[in-house]
């Protein structure tokens, strides 16, 4: 006879900290017939959840499949059989995360991980179809943020010089139209470390590239860090300039020591040089023996070189060049006056990083719909582009993180999933 006390004793405790003595009852099962797991309901609410209770599963009954031949196979429980579907090590998880960070699709990365596990444990491990992306996409959701918080630089304070850029990801418009549409955009922030190496310390998706999107990106970074940068190097767009002024307004307080200055906004001088060269080429003034072409190559070295170039440009009297100089001369006068050691005037590395991100996202850009999960995936890509994504290093970090949380991730899978058919990366209007 099974008494209520015996049933209660068999129920596991809730793994959420502080719920050790909560009321736990049976909560149904999930999974395919014959390979199901028992769900339990905890009578207390999860931290940050509006629901009065939550469901959980007990730890696996068997840590690894028993290949010794001992024991009665007929006595194997459903949870033990199901456990064979989930016997992935921290190395397997790190391998899958590094693969998607380098541009492999969720489906291909999951297939490779499952095949590796099958070779390790035998063909009985997940003998069915192995090519679907939920396995690694769930790992991205659970582990990516911890890896990012551990390895991304400048997590507490702003670097002195910040290089920013935006990557608009477009696709062909529906209906066979010749025009393209914006799928989503990726904003990035880069800084150079004391060793002279650049690294991405901020990355975020958005639905547009305008001023309000720049403001949302910079404000999110500013809320996580103390102080403010001294220089922001961008593409010279009006949207970025407006966002910098809104996020870091200049404080003209009476007390001089407490006065906060807005970051100096610099325009990427490489982009300016490219524009000047284009105008010269369009007008047939790109001959090696031409004086204007020679001066445009050296114009950004010093203020004197810039003055020689502008004087020669005005002498030609080209309307397009005159309009460009009207915008460029005040900018360069300000940047020559404020040039300082350690201020990177070119965003060449950030342009290469954006190109690499575009290559890794590739044709799959139209398939991304969940903004939070896409941000996590892009952060893994940013860590790899910055040169810190290593399988063994990520294996160690995952192990340490799991040990601190008693072997369970602090965040459960699918918590950030969009509900009701909503696509958080597409539904907001873009400007």
């Amino acid at each position: 006879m099974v008494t209520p006390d015996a049933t209660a004793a068999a129920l596991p405790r809730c793994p959420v900290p502080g719920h050790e003595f909560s009321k736990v009852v049976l909560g149904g099962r999930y999974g395919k017939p014959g390979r199901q797991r028992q769900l339990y309901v905890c009578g207390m609410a999860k931290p940050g959840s509006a629901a009065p209770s939550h469901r959980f599963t007990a730890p696996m009954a068997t840590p690894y499949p028993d290949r010794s031949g001992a024991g009665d196979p007929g006595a194997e429980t459903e949870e033990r059989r199901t456990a064979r579907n989930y016997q992935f090590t921290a190395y397997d998880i790190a391998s899958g995360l590094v693969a998607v960070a380098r541009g492999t699709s969720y489906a291909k990365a999951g297939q490779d991980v499952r095949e590796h596990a099958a070779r390790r444990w035998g063909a009985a491990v997940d003998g069915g179809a192995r090519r679907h992306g939920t396995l690694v996409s769930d790992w991205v959701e659970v582990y990516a943020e911890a890896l990012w918080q551990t390895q991304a630089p400048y997590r507490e304070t702003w670097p002195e010089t910040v290089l920013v850029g935006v990557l608009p990801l477009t696709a062909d418009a529906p209906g066979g139209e010749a025009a393209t549409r914006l799928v989503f955009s990726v904003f990035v922030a880069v800084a150079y470390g004391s060793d002279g190496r650049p690294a991405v310390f901020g990355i975020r998706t958005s639905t547009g590239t305008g001023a309000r999107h720049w403001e949302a990106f910079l404000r999110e970074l500013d809320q996580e860090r103390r102080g403010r940068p001294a220089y922001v190097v961008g593409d010279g767009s009006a949207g970025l300039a407006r966002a910098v002024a809104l996020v870091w307004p200049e404080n003209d307080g009476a007390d001089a020591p407490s006065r906060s200055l807005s970051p100096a906004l610099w325009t990427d001088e490489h982009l300016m040089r490219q524009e000047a060269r284009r105008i010269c080429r369009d007008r047939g003034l790109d001959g090696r023996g031409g004086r204007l072409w020679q001066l445009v190559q050296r114009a950004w070295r010093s203020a004197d070189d810039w003055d020689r170039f502008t004087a020669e440009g005005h002498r030609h009297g080209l309307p397009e060049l005159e309009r460009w100089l009207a915008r460029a001369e005040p900018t360069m006068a300000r940047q020559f006056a404020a040039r300082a050691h350690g201020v990177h005037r070119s965003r060449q590395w950030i342009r290469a990083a954006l190109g690499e991100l575009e290559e890794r996202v590739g044709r799959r850009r139209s398939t991304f719909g969940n903004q939070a999960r896409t941000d996590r995936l892009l952060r893994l890509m940013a860590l790899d582009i910055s040169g810190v994504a290593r399988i063994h290093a990520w294996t160690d970090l995952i192990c340490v993180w799991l040990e601190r949380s008693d072997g369970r991730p602090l965040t459960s899978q699918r918590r950030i999933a969009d509900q009701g058919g909503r696509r958080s990366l597409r539904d907001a209007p873009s400007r």
Side-chain angles (χ1 to χ4, degrees), residues 115-338:
E115 289 180 351
H116 182 269
R119 289 193 298 269
R120 183 173 64 243
W121 300 115
V125 178
D126 196 16
R130 297 191 179 105
R131 191 176 176 85
H132 57 84
T134 56
L135 177 69
V136 181
S137 66
D138 284 343
W139 289 346
V140 168
E141 180 174 336
V142 173
Y143 297 101
E145 193 64 21
L147 295 172
W148 174 257
Q149 293 297 328
T150 302
Q151 291 190 310
Y154 299 105
R155 295 186 300 276
E156 298 179 356
T157 59
W158 278 98
E160 182 179 23
T161 302
V162 177
L163 295 86
V164 295
V166 59
L167 171 66
L169 292 170
T170 60
D172 293 336
E177 300 177 7
T180 59
R181 61 183 176 87
L182 179 68
V183 181
F184 62 91
S185 57
V186 181
F187 289 85
V188 296
V190 172
Y192 283 79
S194 57
D195 57 358
R197 296 180 180 179
V200 179
F201 72 92
I203 186 166
R204 182 181 190 269
T205 57
S206 187
T207 56
T209 59
R212 70 182 183 91
H213 303 284
W214 272 114
E215 181 187 358
F217 173 60
L218 296 177
R219 197 173 296 281
E220 181 180 75
L221 294 179
D222 191 56
Q223 291 173 351
E224 300 170 352
R225 291 163 179 82
R226 300 188 303 272
R228 57 179 61 185
Y231 301 91
V232 176
V233 183
D235 58 2
S237 67
L240 173 60
R242 176 170 174 76
V244 169
L246 290 173
V247 176
W248 297 294
E250 188 166 328
N251 178 19
D252 293 319
D255 189 7
S258 65
R259 179 183 178 185
S260 299
L261 300 177
S262 296
L265 185 60
W266 281 48
T267 301
D268 185 348
E269 295 181 4
H270 179 79
L271 291 179
M272 300 177 69
R273 182 164 54 246
Q274 283 185 322
E275 182 65 12
R277 288 173 175 173
R278 183 195 63 77
I279 296 173
C280 291
R281 282 194 296 267
D282 291 347
R283 296 295 181 175
L285 299 173
D286 57 341
R288 293 186 177 181
R291 177 171 172 77
L292 182 62
W293 185 252
Q294 292 178 351
L295 291 175
V296 77
Q297 313 307 319
R298 300 191 295 265
W300 281 263
R301 295 180 180 179
S302 66
D304 292 338
D305 288 321
W306 174 259
D307 291 340
R308 297 187 188 99
F309 161 65
T310 55
E312 184 67 15
H314 288 306
R315 189 181 69 80
H316 280 73
L318 301 175
E320 186 179 7
L321 184 59
E322 289 293 334
R323 290 193 296 270
W324 181 82
L325 286 173
R327 300 190 306 270
E329 284 185 295
T331 299
M332 289 308 303
R334 182 176 67 254
Q335 293 186 187
F336 276 123

Side-chain angles (χ1 to χ4, degrees), residues 327-404:
R327 300 190 306 270
E329 284 185 295
T331 299
M332 289 308 303
R334 182 176 67 254
Q335 293 186 187
F336 276 123
R339 277 191 176 182
H341 178 71
V343 178
H344 293 267
R345 302 183 294 273
S346 172
R347 299 179 311 138
Q348 183 174 357
W349 190 88
I350 202 171
R351 289 191 300 274
L354 292 175
E356 187 65 32
L357 286 172
E358 183 173 19
E359 180 70 21
R360 297 185 187 197
V361 173
R363 298 179 180 178
R364 298 180 293 144
R365 63 189 63 182
S366 298
T367 65
F368 293 108
N370 183 281
Q371 184 172 20
R373 187 179 295 112
T374 304
D375 283 342
R376 285 165 167 77
L377 174 61
L378 290 171
R379 286 174 175 176
L380 294 181
M381 292 182 177
L383 291 176
D384 185 59
I385 292 173
S386 300
V388 296
R390 299 289 185 271
I391 294 179
H392 290 288
W394 283 9
T395 300
D396 293 341
L397 290 173
I398 290 172
C399 288
V400 170
W401 190 50
L402 290 175
E403 287 173 358
R404 292 175 179 173

Side-chain angles (χ1 to χ4, degrees), residues 12 26-40 55-62 77-87 408:
L26 298 177
R29 293 173 175 266
Y30 79 96
K32 297 179 181 179
R35 307 179 71 87
Q36 293 183 329
R37 293 201 68 197
Q38 178 67 55
L39 287 170
Y40 303 93
R55 294 196 298 177
F56 67 93
T57 58
M60 293 295 182
T62 305
T77 66
E78 288 182 346
E79 285 204 7
R80 289 184 63 185
R81 289 198 298 270
T82 306
R84 294 183 179 180
N85 277 341
Y86 296 87
Q87 296 314 310
R408 286 180 175 269

Side-chain angles (χ1 to χ4, degrees), residues 21-33:
F21 301 103
S22 63
K23 182 180 178 181
V24 175
V25 297
L26 298 177
R29 293 173 175 266
Y30 79 96
K32 297 179 181 179

